[in-house]
Amino acid sequence: MEDKKRLFSAIQPSGILTLGNYLGALRNFRLLQEDYDGIFSVADLHTLTVRQEPADLRKNTYELTALYIACGIDPERSVLFLQSHVAAHAELTWILNTICYPGELSRMTQFKEKSRAHEDNINVGLMDYPVLMASDILLYQADLVPVGADQKQHLELARDLAVRFNNRFGETFTVPEAYIGKTAARIMSLADPSKKMSKSDANFNGFISIDDDKDAVIRKFKRAVTDSGSEIVSREDKPGISNLLNIYCAVTGKTLSEAEKEFQGKGYGDFKLKVGEAVAEVIDPIRQEKNRLLQNKDYLDDVLKTGAERAERIAYKTLNKVYKKVGLLQRKR
Ligand code: TYM
């Protein structure tokens, strides 16, 4: 275990998880956990940057914990924990805030998008969000961070902050690499293929939720926006069909040319049905397993308790080093 490289990633418990979260992130976590020491977090502190109903947040936190396990994250092999259970995340954020500049945060695409979407609640946390994310990663000295393409800019900031701190105070942080899958790094909305598939989409037909049953999945794929013409090929002028092909390849493991060949001469209707069936086949067992795990909150609490203890040991080792480097006196015990 010792000589394996370390991997860190996190997901927000901000509601229903989508097929985009699964294909862009969770699926890769499971695959990578074989070769890396995996540390996975439920990023509940991040979620607070957008107004939450407390009861929903609690429910969604259990949902996501169960989903991680249902997707194959093994809590014995990997560390699975809640961000708010390890106070070092907030503590390191304070230190990194002192070496990060407002301009770096105000030009983040996600900050701009979320400020537009939540005009009535543009809080300091929303802007500071990428610094908390950098703390998540740097506390664990992660070598690799698997994420979807939308998190790339945040990853770059984490790298910049690591390098800046190391230059100023001496080698402290591992500079992390992003791992962005080749397929499925950016699953687009089924209702508007120019937009990322997102659970906050007001149009429920735009996203596939892990909680959608087979009928709902097929219905949404049948309604998916396609392009003019009738060819089933992946091409820039065919964003709708390209997205569906990308999803199909991601869930079946087929290559693009295999998929294009399979659907040569077929109509859009047949194609969309096949994609829907293939997606349902993948997410049905995950949803069932997630719901089974949710029946046993004691087990989930136990997993999170052990996870926090294991995470804390690593995190505080880094934080103590950081405090020492910047000149804060060590507390005598
Ligand atoms: P979040 O919760 O928005 O999304 C979780 C993961 O899902 C990926 N993703 C997608 N991938 C492909 N296509 C899509 N349509 C799609 N939508 C979402 C995201 O890229 C992400 O990998 N800030 C992060 C959570 C976080 C984190 C971290 C990640 C907190 N700390 C440290 C990595 C390292 C977020 O909000 O992801």
Side-chain angles (χ1 to χ4, degrees), residues 46-297:
H46 274 107
T47 303
L48 296 177
T49 58
V50 169
R51 221 167 264 142
Q52 301 292 321
E53 203 52 63
D56 290 346
L57 178 56
R58 275 189 286 273
K59 176 174 171 288
N60 290 334
T61 300
Y62 278 119
E63 284 270 340
L64 180 54
T65 307
L67 184 64
Y68 264 118
I69 304 170
C71 285
I73 297 305
D74 174 357
E76 307 260 315
R77 181 198 298 226
S78 298
V79 177
L80 176 58
F81 75 104
L82 218 56
Q83 188 185 33
S84 64
H85 285 178
V86 179
H89 291 248
E91 294 169 298
L92 181 59
T93 299
W94 180 256
I95 303 291
L96 295 182
N97 274 339
T98 65
I99 63 161
C100 183
Y101 304 105
E104 291 179 293
L105 300 177
S106 61
R107 63 170 171 265
M108 289 283 163
T109 308
Q110 198 175 80
F111 172 65
K112 288 195 249 175
E113 280 172 6
K114 287 202 175 170
S115 300
R116 271 196 296 273
H118 305 278
E119 250 176 2
D120 56 340
N121 184 25
I122 306 177
N123 60 78
V124 174
L126 194 61
M127 191 169 174
D128 204 29
Y129 177 117
V131 181
L132 177 58
M133 188 164 153
S135 300
D136 296 344
I137 299 166
L138 301 183
L139 272 179
Y140 299 95
Q141 307 288 0
D143 299 286
L144 199 71
V145 183
V147 282
D150 62 330
Q151 297 297 323
K152 191 163 172 250
Q153 209 181 20
H154 292 162
L155 242 289
E156 271 154 23
L157 181 79
R159 288 169 57 86
D160 288 348
L161 293 178
V163 169
R164 194 173 302 160
F165 189 97
N166 288 349
N167 285 341
R168 206 167 291 174
F169 299 104
E171 270 317 298
T172 309
F173 293 122
T174 303
V175 181
E177 296 284 339
Y179 175 95
I180 297 173
K182 279 192 203 66
T183 53
R186 198 170 166 80
I187 300 294
M188 308 310 277
S189 159
L190 300 185
D192 176 358
S194 69
K195 284 199 326 210
K196 179 183 84 164
M197 181 182 285
S198 158
K199 55 200 157 210
S200 49
D201 199 331
N203 182 348
F204 284 114
N205 289 317
F207 63 88
I208 299 290
S209 147
I210 297 286
D211 279 336
D212 286 340
D213 63 14
K214 187 170 179 183
D215 287 349
V217 170
I218 289 179
R219 186 167 25 85
K220 288 184 182 180
F221 274 101
K222 275 192 181 157
R223 288 196 188 153
V225 168
T226 42
D227 317 292
S228 56
S230 60
E231 268 177 299
I232 298 173
V233 290
S234 181
R235 239 181 18 218
E236 221 163 285
D237 64 334
K238 291 177 120 354
I241 293 294
S242 302
N243 186 37
L244 296 183
L245 275 168
N246 189 20
I247 292 173
Y248 185 71
C249 291
V251 292
T252 59
K254 291 181 183 167
T255 65
L256 196 54
S257 57
E258 281 167 354
E260 286 174 345
K261 215 152 147 205
E262 182 179 342
F263 294 110
Q264 215 168 22
K266 300 254 164 57
Y268 282 173
D270 278 354
F271 169 55
K272 291 202 275 188
L273 180 64
K274 272 277 165 49
V275 182
E277 285 172 347
V279 167
E281 206 169 298
V282 168
I283 64 174
D284 269 358
I286 294 176
R287 183 184 57 257
Q288 282 161 19
E289 177 63 2
K290 180 200 67 158
N291 289 339
R292 191 187 68 79
L293 289 161
L294 278 170
Q295 309 281 314
N296 191 350
K297 295 261 164 59

